[in-house]
Amino acid sequence: MLWIALHPPALSLQAFAATLGSAQHALPLALLDAHRIQAVNRVALQLGVKPGLKRATALALAPQLLFGQADATRDAQALHALAHAALAFTPSVTLDGDGPVALPCVLLELQSSLRYFGGLTALLQRLRAALAPLGLRVRIASAPTALGAALLARWRSGFEQGAHSRELHALQRQLDAVPLALLGAAQSQAEALSGMGLRTLGDLRRLPRDGLARRCGEALLDQLDRARGDRPDPREWLTPAPTFEARLELFERADSTAPLLHAAAVLLARLVAWAGAQHARIGAFVLAMHHERRHRAEAPAGEQTELTIALAEASNDAKHLHTLLHERLARLALPAPTLELRLRCDQLVHRAAPNGELFPTAAGAQEGLLRLIERLQARLGPQRVCRVLRVEDHRPERATAWQPALAAAARVSAWPAAPTLTRPVWLLADAQALGERASRPVLDGRPLQLLAGPERIETGWWDGAPAARDYFIAQAHDGALVWIYRARLPLSPAAGEGWFLQGRFG
Amino acid sequence: MDPVPSAALVAAPSPAPSPAPESLHPALWRAHQLARTRTAVLGSGFAALDAELPGGGWPRQALTELLLPHPGVGEMRLLAPALAGVAAGAAGSERGIMLFDPPAPLCAWALAHLGVDAQALIVVHGRDGAFGARHLLPAADLLWALEQALKSGQVGAVLAWLPARLRADTLRRLQLAAQAHAGPAFVLRDIDVRLKPSPAPLRLALHSAGIDTLSVRVLKRRGPALAQPLRLALPPVLSPALRARAEAKRALTQAMQGRVRHPAPVPL
C-alpha cells in the first residue's frame, strides 16, 4: 500500500484570504475564533501577533490588523476542493477523520497506479501541479499506512518537499519521534499524558499495552497500531457530490465586477477540480451574485443576479472558463453591491475528452474557431455573431436567414443545389423607393438603364406577405449593376407602388 | 607602436561586382521590382491582377485595404475566387470566413452562385442588426472582435467594413494583429480615405468600369507605382447575348447624343 497524505497547514487562513480583494493580501491577517486568535499570516507574525492572543492585545501590537471570523463551512469547502483535485488521480480518496480537527488531511491510496504515473517522483510532481490552481499551501507525505502518512504530513514544517518513507520499518522508526499531540485520540487526554512524561509516540509504545488500554482507552492503542501497520485500517472512499455548489462570502462588498472576478476565479478552480474528479467536462455553470439589500422592506435574502454561461464545447480548461466569465462580467451592470458569490453546476458531459493534437488538424482548427465564436458571443451577445442560411423562398428578403453562430452547430449536410438564377450579393434590408422620370427609374438623380428582365416573382399570398414584382437588372451611371423591381399591383398600402431598389451586384 | 602602412588602407578590395540586393535576403528588392513574400500568397483568381501583386496573389498575414465609392461595385465578385478557395480549404481543412459589419444583408444564394459556401461564413455585427448604417466611429466592441479574430489565427479569411474615420493607431494595431492570422485580411473602406496614410502594405482602389468590369487602381504596393488601372472581367451577371445587346444599345445612344451635340456640317 502506498498512501499519500495532503495536509494544508494554513487552510483556514488561506480560505479566508480567498475572500479578500487583491489589495488586501499584503496586510497582516488574523482569524478569530471565540475572541481568540486562531491563525495569523506571515506579516502579522512579524509584527508579533501570535495565535492564542486576545483581540485587544493583537490590535495593540498591530493596529492595521485585519480580522476574519473562523468559518468551519468555508474551510470544509476548501478541503473538499483539495479532495476533488486528488480524485482525478485515484478513486481511493478519503478525508482523515482520526486526526485533530484543526489539522485536516486528505488521504490517497495510489499503490496500484504508481507505474501508470511513472513512479513516485513524477506522480508527486503532477499532484503538485494539479493542486496549484487551488491556491492552498499543501504539505505532502507518503507512507505505507494511511495514518502514518497523515502523521508525517502534519508533523514538521521542515519537510516542505514531503516526508516519504517506502518501507514499513523505516516508517515505524520515524513514527517513534512524532509528537503525541498529533494523534487524534490523544487530544482529550493531552494533559494526563504529558503529566506522565509521554511526549512522543515512541514513549507510548514502550509502555505495557494492557495497562495503557485500561487507563487511556482502546482508541489510543488502536490508532497507534493502525499508524504502525500492526492493525488493518479500512477506509470509506469519498464520492464527489452529483452537483457542484460553492459559495464565497466576500470580505468587502464589491461595487464593480473587477473584484468579483478575483473571487470567481477561486470558485472556478474548485469547479474544475470537481469536474476533474468525475473525469467529466463542464457543459454549463451558473454564477449567482447576492446583492446588498437596498431597503429594509426587501426580502431578507436580498436581490440576486444570475449569470448562466453555457459552453458550446464542454471544457475543463480553467483559463477558457475564466476568459468567458471575464467577458460576460465586463458587460454586466450590477444593480447593487455584491456581498456573496455562488457557483452552481449540474451539467457535466461524461464523454471521453477529445484527443490532443500534435500537428494542427481540421478538428483542432474547428475547436479553435468555436472558442473564438464563444468569446465573441460572450461579449457582443449571441445575436450579433451569426451564420447565414439559405431558405427556399422566391422572395429575396426571405431567401436568406440569419442564425446565431453556435445554434447552427447542426450543420446541414445536403443543401439544395444553387440555382442558375442571378441574385445580387448585397440585398437592401428595406427596398428603397426610386423616383421615376420619363417612365425610367432614377437612382441618385441619374436614370437607370434596364439591361435584363423582367423576372416575375409572384408568391407569398398564403403567409401574409404577398409579393408581385417584376425584377430587372439595371446599370447605374457609374457602371455598377443594381437589381430593381416594379411592384405590379398595389397589394397593400405598405408595399407601395412604382420602382424599388432591391440589391446591388457586389 | 608601429605605424600602419598607409598602402594597406588605400588598397581597396578587388572590385568584384556587388551582389544584387534581391539575392541577399527575401525582404530586399529594388524599387523597380515587385517584392517577394516569404509566405505563400493566396491566388486572387484573376491572372492580370496576380501579375501586379507582390508574390502573385493576395498577401497572407497582412492587411489589404480595398477602397470603394459605395458597396456594390463588384468587390465581392473580385474576392469570391479567393474566398471560395479558403472556404473549401486545402486538403479538406475547411476554415471559416468572418465578415465584420457588412454594409447590407447578404444573399446566401448569390454567394453559393459565386462558389462561396455560405456555411463557412460567420457575420459579426457591430451594432444590433444595424446593416449599412455608416457610423462615424466604429464600435469599440467590433474592433475588439476583429482584433481577437485576427490574433486567434483560427479564421481562414477576414473581411471587415470599417468606417472612413479611424484613429491613427487602429489600423496599425490591426496590421500587427494580422501577423498571427494565416489567411488574407481585407479591410473595405470608403474611397475618400485614399489620400490618408495607412499601414496596410497593399491598397487598391476599386471602381466600376462598365458591365461586369472592374477597374482596379493600385494605390500602394511593395513595388513600383502602377500608372494605369487594371481592368478585370468579373464573373458575369449578364449572359453574353444580353451583354452584347446592352453594349450595342449604349453605343447607339452615345452615337445619337454625339450627333445631336455636334451636328455634322451640312454640305452646301
Side-chain angles (χ1 to χ4, degrees):
Chain A
M1 299 277 255
L2 172 75
W3 288 88
I4 292 182
L6 312 175
H7 168 57
L11 178 72
S12 311
L13 195 70
Q14 285 182 321
F16 164 63
T19 67
L20 298 177
S22 44
Q24 292 149 330
H25 277 282
L27 292 178
L29 307 176
L31 267 189
L32 280 178
D33 191 16
H35 304 291
R36 281 192 185 270
I37 287 181
Q38 193 196 32
V40 292
N41 71 349
R42 193 166 296 166
V43 188
L45 205 60
Q46 278 165 1
L47 292 169
V49 184
K50 288 192 205 93
L53 292 184
K54 281 193 174 167
R55 181 194 164 97
T57 324
L59 269 181
L61 284 167
Q64 73 275 43
L65 196 62
L66 210 61
F67 286 104
Q69 242 347 293
D71 184 350
T73 336
R74 191 173 60 204
D75 298 353
Q77 276 190 2
L79 189 68
H80 269 89
L82 203 62
H84 288 152
L87 269 169
F89 288 82
T90 167
S92 318
V93 172
T94 179
L95 299 179
D96 181 30
D98 294 331
V101 185
L103 301 171
C105 209
V106 176
L107 295 165
L108 301 76
E109 205 281 307
L110 267 162
Q111 181 66 56
S112 45
S113 356
L114 202 55
R115 226 180 82 187
Y116 167 72
F117 287 112
L120 186 64
T121 321
L123 169 66
L124 291 179
Q125 230 165 31
R126 284 179 66 160
L127 196 58
R128 281 200 181 276
L131 299 178
L134 296 173
L136 290 175
R137 211 166 74 220
V138 177
R139 256 189 251 160
I140 300 181
S142 71
T145 68
L147 216 49
L151 285 173
L152 286 186
R154 285 183 196 131
W155 181 18
R156 264 207 302 239
S157 56
F159 289 118
E160 270 311 310
Q161 273 311 308
H164 303 291
S165 78
R166 301 291 294 274
E167 296 295 321
L168 197 56
H169 300 290
L171 172 71
Q172 289 177 345
R173 227 172 305 125
Q174 282 198 34
L175 283 182
D176 277 351
V178 171
L180 210 47
L182 296 181
L183 205 60
Q187 293 284 301
S188 51
Q189 318 166 26
E191 268 185 36
L193 290 171
S194 69
M196 282 189 269
L198 302 174
R199 279 188 182 79
T200 62
L201 294 193
D203 297 341
L204 201 65
R205 188 174 59 82
R206 280 181 215 105
L207 293 179
R209 288 175 64 90
D210 51 348
L212 196 61
R214 232 181 5 257
R215 275 174 188 244
C216 306
E218 277 288 333
L220 193 62
L221 270 181
D222 174 58
Q223 280 198 2
L224 187 66
D225 287 349
R226 280 196 282 142
R228 294 173 56 85
D230 296 339
R231 203 178 278 196
D233 190 2
R235 298 275 173 161
E236 209 166 298
W237 306 128
L238 188 80
T239 45
T243 59
F244 179 81
E245 177 124 34
R247 59 182 276 275
L248 199 66
E249 201 181 315
L250 301 177
F251 182 72
E252 278 184 335
R253 56 178 209 173
D255 294 322
S256 69
T257 53
L260 288 183
L261 204 61
H262 176 75
V266 176
L267 291 179
L268 269 183
R270 292 180 188 172
L271 172 66
V272 169
W274 169 77
Q278 314 202 32
H279 298 278
R281 284 164 301 136
I282 298 152
F285 60 92
V286 181
L287 181 75
M289 283 151 278
H290 291 256
H291 299 304
E292 197 178 37
R293 274 197 295 171
R294 274 179 294 187
H295 314 291
R296 269 168 199 281
E298 256 180 76
E303 235 184 312
Q304 70 168 14
T305 310
E306 281 204 353
L307 195 62
T308 306
I309 294 183
L311 286 93
E313 177 87 10
S315 165
N316 218 354
D317 181 356
K319 209 175 139 198
H320 178 56
L321 299 180
H322 192 251
T323 320
L324 285 183
L325 197 60
H326 176 89
E327 297 303 344
R328 286 291 292 274
L329 274 180
R331 273 204 315 154
L332 199 70
L334 295 175
T338 308
L339 298 176
E340 188 184 308
L341 285 182
R342 274 172 198 272
L343 193 68
R344 204 165 61 232
C345 172
D346 50 7
Q347 282 189 36
L348 276 187
V349 179
H350 289 276
R351 231 183 305 141
N355 290 335
E357 310 281 358
L358 181 58
F359 299 109
T361 61
Q366 205 62 40
E367 202 206 321
L369 186 62
L370 218 57
R371 286 198 168 191
L372 172 68
I373 295 174
E374 219 166 59
R375 280 178 59 198
L376 297 189
Q377 287 193 335
R379 169 134 166 197
L380 303 175
Q383 293 305 323
R384 281 160 61 172
V385 185
C386 311
R387 275 187 198 277
V388 188
L389 291 183
R390 281 190 273 170
V391 181
E392 288 191 301
D393 196 310
H394 283 288
R395 282 161 292 184
E397 65 270 23
R398 293 198 179 201
T400 304
W402 300 84
Q403 199 172 22
L406 289 181
R411 290 160 68 97
V412 192
S413 54
W415 279 46
T420 47
L421 293 172
T422 31
R423 292 281 178 271
V425 170
W426 300 124
L427 292 172
L428 298 191
D430 296 306
Q432 177 193 341
L434 298 177
E436 194 175 327
R437 194 190 305 154
S439 71
R440 281 173 73 188
V442 172
L443 177 66
D444 301 333
R446 307 284 279 275
L448 291 170
Q449 192 185 0
L450 302 187
L451 298 181
E455 178 196 338
R456 178 158 296 178
I457 293 179
E458 188 161 347
T459 184
W461 49 266
W462 59 87
D463 59 6
R469 307 165 185 165
D470 280 342
Y471 277 92
F472 295 87
I473 298 173
Q475 191 179 17
H477 70 278
D478 66 343
L481 297 181
V482 294
W483 205 40
I484 57 173
Y485 72 84
R486 183 165 52 187
R488 283 183 52 237
L489 302 163
L491 289 164
S492 65
E497 51 185 317
W499 292 95
F500 292 89
L501 177 67
Q502 179 80 74
R504 291 172 180 274
F505 288 90
Chain B
M1 227 198 257
D2 41 80
V4 181
S6 61
L9 282 178
V10 172
S14 58
S18 57
E22 63 269 22
S23 67
L24 288 176
H25 194 272
L28 291 178
W29 79 92
R30 289 173 191 256
H32 67 273
Q33 294 167 331
L34 271 183
R36 291 157 301 154
T37 46
R38 271 168 292 170
T39 52
V41 295
L42 187 72
S44 72
F46 298 91
L49 181 61
D50 280 350
E52 296 299 337
L53 295 181
W58 298 121
R60 294 170 188 265
Q61 304 185 348
L63 288 190
T64 302
E65 228 183 320
L66 304 179
L67 307 180
L68 37 149
H70 60 86
V73 296
E75 69 278 13
M76 289 308 273
R77 281 184 281 164
L78 174 71
L79 299 179
L83 296 184
V86 170
S93 65
E94 55 178 303
R95 313 292 294 268
I97 299 170
M98 283 191 126
L99 282 76
F100 291 86
D101 224 357
L106 284 159
C107 176
W109 295 96
L111 288 168
H113 197 64
L114 291 172
V116 183
D117 184 5
Q119 289 193 71
L121 296 187
I122 296 151
V123 181
V124 181
H125 300 297
R127 321 258 153 130
D128 281 312
F131 278 111
R134 284 292 178 93
H135 318 303
L136 284 179
L137 281 172
D141 277 350
L142 188 86
L143 288 177
W144 170 85
L146 180 53
E147 198 179 332
Q148 294 296 317
L150 288 174
K151 271 187 184 163
S152 78
Q154 307 288 354
V155 188
V158 167
L159 274 78
W161 281 262
L162 295 184
R165 240 194 255 177
L166 278 182
R167 280 177 43 162
D169 57 342
T170 307
L171 277 177
R172 178 92 202 131
R173 265 182 87 101
L174 293 176
Q175 164 67 15
L176 285 176
Q179 287 173 1
H181 173 66
F186 299 102
V187 173
L188 292 95
R189 298 173 73 195
D190 197 274
I191 190 78
D192 295 345
V193 298
R194 68 185 181 280
L195 295 178
K196 287 190 188 159
S198 155
L202 180 64
R203 299 181 92 196
L204 305 177
L206 310 182
H207 284 280
S208 175
I211 302 164
D212 296 338
T213 316
L214 185 69
S215 139
V216 177
R217 202 143 52 83
V218 181
L219 297 177
K220 174 183 175 186
R221 64 172 172 175
R222 290 189 175 144
L226 194 66
Q228 288 298 318
L230 299 167
R231 280 172 74 91
L232 302 178
L234 295 173
V237 170
L238 294 181
S239 65
L242 278 173
R243 191 178 161 171
R245 203 177 72 185
E247 269 162 10
K249 201 170 159 190
R250 168 161 285 216
L252 187 69
T253 329
Q254 277 173 357
M256 279 174 68
Q257 282 174 347
R259 203 180 311 152
V260 170
R261 215 167 284 162
H262 311 288
V266 180
L268 292 168

